[in-house]
Amino acid sequence: MARRKAGLGERHKKILKFLEKFQTENGYPPSIREIGENTNISSTSVVNYYLNQLEEMNFIERESNVSRGIRLVKTLEGNLVNAAQAITEMFSVPVIGRIVAGEPVPVPSSDFNYYDQETGIDIARSLLPPREKTSDLFALEVQGDSMIDAMVNDGDIVVMRPVSQANNGEMVAVWLADRDETTLKYFYLEDGHVRLQPANPQMKPIIIDNPAQVQVQGKVVLVIRRMEGA
Amino acid sequence: MARRKAGLGERHKKILKFLEKFQTENGYPPSIREIGENTNISSTSVVNYYLNQLEEMNFIERESNVSRGIRLVKTLEGNLVNAAQAITEMFSVPVIGRIVAGEPVPVPSSDFNYYDQETGIDIARSLLPPREKTSDLFALEVQGDSMIDAMVNDGDIVVMRPVSQANNGEMVAVWLADRDETTLKYFYLEDGHVRLQPANPQMKPIIIDNPAQVQVQGKVVLVIRRMEGA
DNA sequence: CTTGACATCGAACGTTTGTTCGTGTATGAT
DNA sequence: ATCATACACGAACAAACGTTCGATGTCAAG
């Protein structure tokens, strides 16, 4: 057969693809024999030969004399596999519904089992402050243009934590019963009244004299806007 | 010693924490002996005993007679470890600077080596359409209130792909030389002129008669807003 | 035509590794 | 006091596993 050009040959690519697939599906790497079985390589020494080359080319790292001691460093697509991309570094938040102006936020009850949800949105842990807990979060999709003053578009995903009391400066979802309206605003309790400050600095705040009329339903921790057709 | 209440004992927790830590650091799970060595359990059968219990409680899954055949299902914090949280499912985009109204977008040159960047933002692959490539993306942090009409706040992270030509309906960063201004708008080329449509539906578009005056610098694929103090 | 590099392979070996067994202690229930 | 269960442990064993060796084939360069 023709000599290998510098770079990946067919067998390299097959092995690399299999490594990614196996690790994704199983949560641990394959053995030398499993790699061979799935790439039509009948000899463990040939698999070893190719793994050594993938290591030289910085696609993987190997630990000597360790079973399944293969760590992906770079994918076939060229993306670095960051050590930070670990089990605890990404999590799913269930998208449990829509947020619209005319209805209260559908805050899940505390015993709601999110994990049955098929729809969720994946979030890198590093997008939240280290002290923020990742449990109990839920996400809502914005429907309509009613949250413009919060700088939030139709279709945006708002990730929230259920709270019933807010601290000053936090962006919260509040239900204003006398207006039949949910709104997203920065919350300030000052001099016995509530100031709900829009994110858009060109808009004026809502002043609520009776704080009891403000039902805080959740605190916004993240907003994600995906571009349609991007 | 006292009988175990239903739920996790001290040794369960130590083992679970070690599993998370080892997998994060090594890219593959530990062996029974490595678990024992790091949790002060001198016997492989005791480690086996506890792993079986963790499996019963749905924290892990095990493959019989497979070395390092342990798959984390749930972390100590209670988060599900999703199969989607795999090597290729999260990646980093370098945050290479700021986007401000008065300067062109600092589009990186095509041979820029992002991976040396220490600052990056982690993004779940699932936030982008499946056909969107993850290479070549870069991120900018918005500085100032000048992108309000794009519904983008000071401090938001805008993830972009360098392009010099846009398709209709895509949100792009364009540099308007005659105005000395960068703006984020939805791009439409129609009847020989360019319509730059703000994201805020209450604002009017910019009409540019001479399309040559519109320098498309990048296409927005994602916007992320983290809440300060969240 | 010869040589060296690369690729391929089976076999053997020793180490790594998980499972099983038997034993002992402590505790709560009867 | 007895029994059942949980917890703890060392030892032994066999299978899983990675590495090494020697052999063979192909191809490009000289």
Side-chain angles (χ1 to χ4, degrees):
Chain A
M1 66 180 57
R3 275 217 201 140
R4 174 171 69 86
K5 305 178 206 162
L8 295 174
E10 281 309 303
R11 272 187 157 171
H12 293 114
K13 291 176 179 175
K14 285 181 76 178
I15 290 174
L16 211 43
K17 268 180 111 162
F18 178 72
L19 282 173
E20 295 176 29
K21 179 171 181 285
F22 188 98
Q23 179 98 40
T24 296
E25 289 174 356
N26 291 279
Y28 53 84
S31 65
I32 303 290
R33 283 172 177 78
E34 283 164 335
I35 294 172
E37 284 156 14
N38 287 269
T39 55
N40 282 330
I41 301 175
S42 55
S43 161
T44 55
S45 76
V46 174
V47 176
N48 193 52
Y49 170 81
Y50 280 107
L51 288 179
N52 285 337
Q53 288 183 339
L54 286 170
E55 186 172 30
E56 283 170 23
M57 293 187 271
N58 289 317
F59 282 93
I60 64 173
E61 281 169 359
R62 296 187 76 192
E63 299 296 325
S64 262
N65 291 310
V66 167
S67 70
R68 303 174 191 273
I70 301 173
R71 176 170 45 255
L72 265 169
V73 169
K74 198 161 59 178
T75 66
L76 195 48
E77 203 171 279
N79 290 323
L80 278 182
V81 177
N82 192 351
Q85 285 180 358
I87 288 79
T88 54
E89 294 304 315
M90 188 164 87
F91 61 100
S92 265
V93 174
V95 180
I96 61 169
R98 297 274 175 86
I99 179 170
V100 299
E103 296 167 9
V105 163
V107 180
S109 61
S110 60
D111 60 353
F112 192 84
N113 186 352
Y114 302 152
Y115 301 126
D116 292 332
Q117 296 283 338
E118 282 199 342
T119 56
I121 187 158
D122 298 319
I123 298 175
R125 182 69 181 83
S126 58
L127 293 181
L128 299 179
R131 68 193 174 280
E132 182 82 34
K133 289 197 178 266
T134 60
S135 51
D136 296 332
L137 296 178
F138 64 100
L140 297 170
E141 184 175 344
V142 174
Q143 180 175 356
D145 293 329
S146 56
M147 304 294 168
I148 289 173
D149 57 353
M151 307 285 279
V152 170
N153 260 350
D154 181 46
D156 286 0
I157 299 290
V158 178
V159 180
M160 312 185 67
R161 170 178 305 288
V163 299
S164 51
Q165 291 188 354
N167 298 318
N168 281 353
E170 292 179 337
M171 172 162 283
V172 294
V174 300
W175 169 252
L176 303 172
D178 61 341
R179 296 191 185 197
D180 270 358
E181 181 188 359
T182 283
T183 188
L184 299 176
K185 297 278 191 294
Y186 291 106
F187 177 95
Y188 296 92
L189 178 62
E190 51 199 17
D191 297 330
H193 64 265
V194 169
R195 173 164 59 96
L196 298 175
Q197 185 70 42
N200 188 331
Q202 294 176 351
M203 290 183 171
K204 292 184 173 171
I206 300 175
I207 307 295
I208 310 290
D209 289 324
N210 180 9
Q213 284 188 321
V214 178
Q215 276 182 334
V216 175
Q217 298 194 285
K219 179 178 90 168
V220 177
V221 300
L222 196 64
V223 179
I224 291 174
R225 181 175 306 148
R226 297 175 287 195
M227 295 300 158
E228 295 302 314
Chain B
M1 63 180 59
R3 272 217 203 143
R4 172 171 71 88
K5 303 179 207 165
L8 295 173
E10 279 310 303
R11 272 186 158 172
H12 293 116
K13 292 176 179 174
K14 285 180 75 175
I15 289 175
L16 212 41
K17 268 180 111 164
F18 178 72
L19 283 173
E20 294 176 30
K21 177 171 183 284
F22 189 96
Q23 179 100 38
T24 296
E25 290 175 355
N26 292 279
Y28 52 84
S31 65
I32 306 288
R33 282 170 177 80
E34 282 164 338
I35 294 172
E37 283 156 15
N38 287 269
T39 55
N40 280 328
I41 302 174
S42 55
S43 163
T44 55
S45 77
V46 175
V47 176
N48 194 52
Y49 169 80
Y50 281 107
L51 288 178
N52 285 337
Q53 289 183 339
L54 286 169
E55 187 171 29
E56 284 171 21
M57 294 187 272
N58 289 317
F59 283 91
I60 63 172
E61 280 169 0
R62 295 187 77 190
E63 298 295 324
S64 263
N65 289 310
V66 165
S67 68
R68 304 174 189 274
I70 301 172
R71 178 172 44 254
L72 265 169
V73 169
K74 198 160 59 175
T75 66
L76 193 49
E77 201 171 282
N79 290 323
L80 275 184
V81 178
N82 191 352
Q85 283 181 357
I87 289 80
T88 54
E89 295 304 317
M90 188 165 85
F91 62 100
S92 265
V93 173
V95 181
I96 61 169
R98 297 279 176 83
I99 180 171
V100 299
E103 297 168 8
V105 162
V107 180
S109 60
S110 60
D111 60 353
F112 192 83
N113 187 353
Y114 301 150
Y115 300 124
D116 291 334
Q117 296 282 339
E118 283 199 341
T119 57
I121 188 156
D122 297 319
I123 299 176
R125 183 67 183 85
S126 57
L127 293 182
L128 299 178
R131 68 193 173 278
E132 182 82 33
K133 292 201 177 264
T134 61
S135 51
D136 295 333
L137 296 178
F138 65 99
L140 298 168
E141 183 175 347
V142 174
Q143 181 175 355
D145 294 330
S146 56
M147 305 294 169
I148 289 173
D149 57 353
M151 306 285 280
V152 170
N153 259 350
D154 181 47
D156 286 1
I157 299 291
V158 179
V159 180
M160 310 185 68
R161 170 178 303 290
V163 299
S164 53
Q165 292 188 353
N167 297 318
N168 281 353
E170 292 180 336
M171 174 163 282
V172 293
V174 300
W175 170 250
L176 302 172
D178 61 340
R179 296 192 186 195
D180 269 358
E181 182 187 1
T182 285
T183 187
L184 297 176
K185 295 278 190 294
Y186 290 107
F187 177 94
Y188 296 93
L189 180 61
E190 50 199 18
D191 296 331
H193 65 264
V194 169
R195 173 165 60 97
L196 299 174
Q197 184 71 42
N200 187 331
Q202 293 175 351
M203 290 182 171
K204 295 192 171 156
I206 299 175
I207 306 294
I208 311 291
D209 289 324
N210 180 9
Q213 284 187 320
V214 178
Q215 275 182 335
V216 175
Q217 297 194 285
K219 179 177 89 168
V220 176
V221 300
L222 196 64
V223 179
I224 290 174
R225 180 176 306 149
R226 298 174 286 196
M227 294 301 160
E228 294 301 313

